[in-house]
Amino acid sequence: MSLFNTRHFCDMPSPRFLRHFLAFDFAVSEINRNADILPNVTLGYDMFDSCFFEDTAVEGSLRILSGGVKMYPNYDCHGYGKVVAFIGHLLSSSSQAIASLLRVYGYPQLTRYVKRVHFRTTSGDEIFFDEKGDPPERIDLLNWLIFPNDTVKRTQVGQYHSQQLFLNKSTVIWGNLSDMTPRSVCSEDCIPGYRKSLVKGKPVCCFVCAPCSEGEITNTTDTETCIICPEEEWPNEKKDRCVKRVTLFLNIQDPLGTLLLASTGVFFIMTTVVLAIFIKHRDTPIVRANNIHVSFILIISLMFSFLCVLLFIGRPTVLSCLLRQVVFCLIFTLAISSTLAKTIIVLVAFTSTKPGGISKNWMGSSLSRLIIFICCLGQVLICSVWLLQSPPFPDKDTRSEVGKIILQCNEGSTTAFYAALGYMGFLAVSSFILAFLVRKLPDCFNEAHYITFSMLVFCSVWVTFIPVYLRTKGKYTVAVEVFAILASSAGLLFCLFIPKCFTIIIRPERNSRESVSDRKLH
């Protein structure tokens, strides 16, 4: 028997393949030892090392067939036994080369060397192979170690039994003599908050860790896809869990909300003081000369315009959203209509002094009330259609600011909203044009100067408001509108009434019939 043939290209067979020879030798010894397996038959074998060369494998096969030291093709020089079969190489290429030779001589090449075998080893283990040559379901898992001094250690680390794998990882020693399991990937694990992204042109075990997109998380390691957070939630900083979004709205507790609320209070108190002054001095010439009825309507409308700011500050509700824009539009329309009425009254008062002019009967409170009623009626119609067709409602904005929910009022119909603003702008521009045209009237009717300047301030505020309103987002959109309401209302208050109050309180000598006019407007 020749165990190794080392005369070819190999200097020495590799020790790491010794286990295959030991397993084979053990199997042959066990079969020969048990007479029940192959009665009256003793197995033997010749084994050659091919060194992983196909030609060497064929050479070894010829030597086995010849049976001598030298190769004698077609001659059998065996002095013992008989060759009945060959077992192939570990490599399929060498096995195919051997099979090509064996087909010529009619010898079989085995891949599974026993079938229908059932025996018990000396250690008591039951070994059997079924009719297909399949091994038993129970397989011992061995850990083989080859040390630098060529010594070998074998340790059982688990079993495969009943289609289940049992492995004791703590007993496994790897090739680097470490108990740490080597990684089978070329990339580090992707921690929560990241996802695995395959690299084009590389194996699936090679990947990069890509951060989850905005609004997505991963909460496990090596996840291939990210999870989208619910609408009410947002990823935390590490993107490994969803947290509740921060809710934003123009709050009274915010510095901006506090400032606007304080400004509202100051302007409301100032308007109340102006109203008290006008009531106390209602019989004086300077108050009566400015059409006392229209003045009171205008002052009261300004008071309510400051109060309507309270509808814009705080958490939006169904009621506040319904009333917010509608109340603002109606109150401001009343204020602008009153200013327009004062302008028309000034014009009527001047033309009534000319021959053929308008009758003095039209200069009383009836004309001013009619003008205010007609102007307000147009805004009432616009707001009624607005509320019936597409009214404002509370809404949530989750896109303007990252990780935040902005509570706001949706105007419903933007067309109706801008129609209401446009109607107010039309009245303001009309009042400004009329006041500008009559600004050169005699000094006794110099109210036109104040109206012209107040409408200029009013129009400037709202012309600036619209583009700023469209560019801002979140609670600052509401803050811009509140600022426009306060600024335009304050402009009317300061331009139309503060100069009169200054004259009444500080310069009372000018509050006389001679200083104002000998004509009184009723």
Side-chain angles (χ1 to χ4, degrees):
M1 178 183 69
S2 175
L3 178 57
F4 293 109
N5 180 2
T6 62
R7 295 186 301 105
H8 201 55
F9 299 102
C10 296
D11 292 334
M12 189 65 187
S14 176
R16 62 193 180 97
F17 296 110
L18 179 62
R19 63 185 185 274
H20 299 299
F21 164 71
L22 295 176
F24 180 77
D25 182 69
F26 174 77
V28 172
S29 299
E30 291 295 314
I31 293 173
N32 290 335
R33 187 178 294 116
N34 193 334
D36 296 331
I37 299 177
L38 295 176
N40 300 322
V41 175
T42 301
L43 295 180
Y45 60 87
D46 275 339
M47 185 179 293
F48 285 83
D49 187 2
S50 70
C51 304
F52 298 102
F53 293 102
E54 288 80 1
D55 57 343
T56 308
V58 174
E59 179 185 345
S61 301
L62 285 174
R63 290 185 182 278
I64 294 175
L65 288 174
S66 297
V69 178
K70 295 183 179 181
M71 290 184 295
Y72 297 98
N74 301 324
Y75 286 90
D76 185 358
C77 301
H78 287 90
Y80 55 87
K82 182 180 180 182
V83 177
V84 295
F86 284 76
I87 297 177
H89 197 275
L90 290 174
L91 296 179
S92 59
S93 59
S94 297
S95 296
Q96 292 173 359
I98 296 172
S100 300
L101 174 66
L102 297 181
R103 279 197 295 269
V104 176
Y105 293 98
Y107 284 91
Q109 181 177 188
L110 305 180
T111 54
R112 302 275 178 89
Y113 54 87
V114 286
K115 294 182 180 180
R116 298 183 182 273
V117 174
H118 192 178
F119 63 96
R120 189 177 300 275
T121 65
T122 54
S123 60
D125 294 327
E126 188 177 14
I127 303 298
F128 63 90
F129 297 89
D130 59 17
E131 67 277 1
K132 296 181 180 180
D134 293 326
E137 293 185 356
R138 178 178 175 179
I139 300 176
D140 292 336
L141 303 180
L142 303 179
N143 184 198
W144 290 78
L145 289 178
I146 301 177
F147 295 95
N149 58 359
D150 291 335
T151 58
V152 179
K153 180 181 180 182
R154 185 185 67 179
T155 305
Q156 182 175 340
V157 295
Q159 283 184 340
Y160 179 80
H161 181 64
S162 300
Q163 297 184 349
Q164 288 186 340
L165 177 64
F166 301 93
L167 180 65
N168 186 3
K169 295 182 180 181
S170 61
T171 61
V172 178
I173 303 299
W174 299 95
N176 54 1
L177 301 181
S178 172
D179 58 354
M180 297 295 295
T181 304
R183 295 178 54 82
S184 60
V185 295
C186 60
S187 304
E188 294 295 328
D189 291 333
C190 292
I191 62 175
Y194 292 81
R195 62 176 179 83
K196 293 169 59 176
S197 179
L198 298 180
V199 180
K200 187 177 181 180
K202 291 189 177 182
V204 294
C205 62
C206 296
F207 51 84
V208 295
C209 297
C212 289
S213 302
E214 191 174 89
E216 298 179 342
I217 66 161
T218 56
N219 51 16
T220 56
T221 303
D222 285 343
T223 303
E224 295 183 357
T225 57
C226 296
I227 305 171
I228 301 176
C229 287
E231 186 178 6
E232 299 292 328
E233 297 180 350
W234 192 256
N236 61 349
E237 186 176 353
K238 295 182 178 179
K239 292 187 176 183
D240 57 358
R241 63 188 181 95
C242 296
V243 296
K244 193 172 182 61
R245 290 177 183 254
V246 177
T247 303
L248 295 180
F249 56 91
L250 188 58
N251 198 339
I252 299 178
Q253 299 177 352
D254 293 339
L256 181 59
T258 302
L259 178 61
L260 294 175
L261 186 63
S263 302
T264 300
V266 171
F267 288 132
F268 179 79
I269 294 173
M270 291 179 63
T271 311
T272 305
V273 171
V274 169
L275 179 61
I277 292 174
F278 267 59
I279 292 176
K280 183 178 180 180
H281 299 86
R282 61 184 177 277
D283 295 327
T284 60
I286 195 170
V287 175
R288 295 180 64 84
N290 286 281
N291 198 321
I292 185 172
H293 302 288
V294 178
S295 296
F296 283 152
I297 294 176
L298 181 54
I299 294 173
I300 293 174
S301 65
L302 290 177
M303 292 177 62
F304 280 105
S305 68
F306 289 124
L307 289 179
C308 79
V309 169
L310 300 178
L311 294 174
F312 291 82
I313 302 177
R315 180 184 290 271
T317 62
V318 176
L319 182 60
S320 66
C321 289
L322 281 174
L323 296 178
R324 177 181 292 184
Q325 302 292 359
V326 174
V327 170
F328 149 67
C329 291
L330 292 176
I331 291 176
F332 260 65
T333 301
L334 179 61
I336 300 171
S337 301
S338 301
T339 306
L340 180 61
K342 289 174 71 69
T343 308
I344 295 176
I345 291 300
V346 171
L347 180 61
V348 171
F350 177 73
T351 57
S352 65
T353 61
K354 297 180 179 181
I358 300 176
S359 173
K360 293 184 179 181
N361 293 330
W362 285 94
M363 294 174 55
S365 60
S366 298
L367 178 60
S368 60
R369 286 197 293 266
L370 179 62
I371 294 171
I372 294 173
F373 174 77
I374 293 175
C375 294
C376 290
L377 180 62
Q379 189 68 281
V380 169
L381 293 176
I382 294 175
C383 292
S384 298
V385 174
W386 186 3
L387 293 178
L388 291 175
Q389 295 295 326
S390 182
F393 59 92
D395 196 11
K396 296 178 180 179
D397 180 10
T398 59
R399 297 183 179 180
S400 296
E401 296 192 30
V402 177
K404 298 177 182 178
I405 297 180
I406 299 173
L407 303 182
Q408 60 186 10
C409 288
N410 190 310
E411 282 79 11
S413 174
T414 55
T415 303
F417 173 65
Y418 286 109
L421 291 182
Y423 184 76
M424 289 191 299
F426 168 74
L427 296 179
V429 171
S430 300
S431 180
F432 171 75
I433 293 174
L434 288 178
F436 181 79
L437 293 176
V438 299
R439 72 190 186 281
K440 294 184 179 181
L441 291 178
D443 291 341
C444 58
F445 297 106
N446 62 1
E447 182 74 7
H449 292 83
Y450 299 112
I451 295 175
T452 302
F453 191 69
S454 65
M455 288 296 100
L456 180 62
V457 173
F458 184 91
C459 293
S460 299
V461 170
W462 287 100
V463 168
T464 306
F465 158 77
I466 294 177
V468 176
Y469 180 84
L470 294 175
R471 286 197 299 266
T472 54
K473 295 181 180 180
K475 64 180 181 180
Y476 298 104
T477 303
V478 182
V480 168
E481 186 171 0
V482 170
F483 176 80
I485 294 173
L486 294 177
S488 56
S489 300
L492 294 177
L493 178 67
F494 279 87
C495 293
L496 293 177
F497 298 103
I498 296 302
K500 278 74 174 179
C501 292
F502 178 81
T503 301
I504 294 172
I505 303 300
I506 306 301
R507 303 291 296 275
E509 69 277 3
R510 299 187 61 180
N511 189 9
S512 63
R513 181 178 298 179
E514 292 77 13
S515 300
V516 178
S517 175
D518 58 348
R519 293 185 179 132
K520 298 179 181 179
L521 300 178
H522 302 279

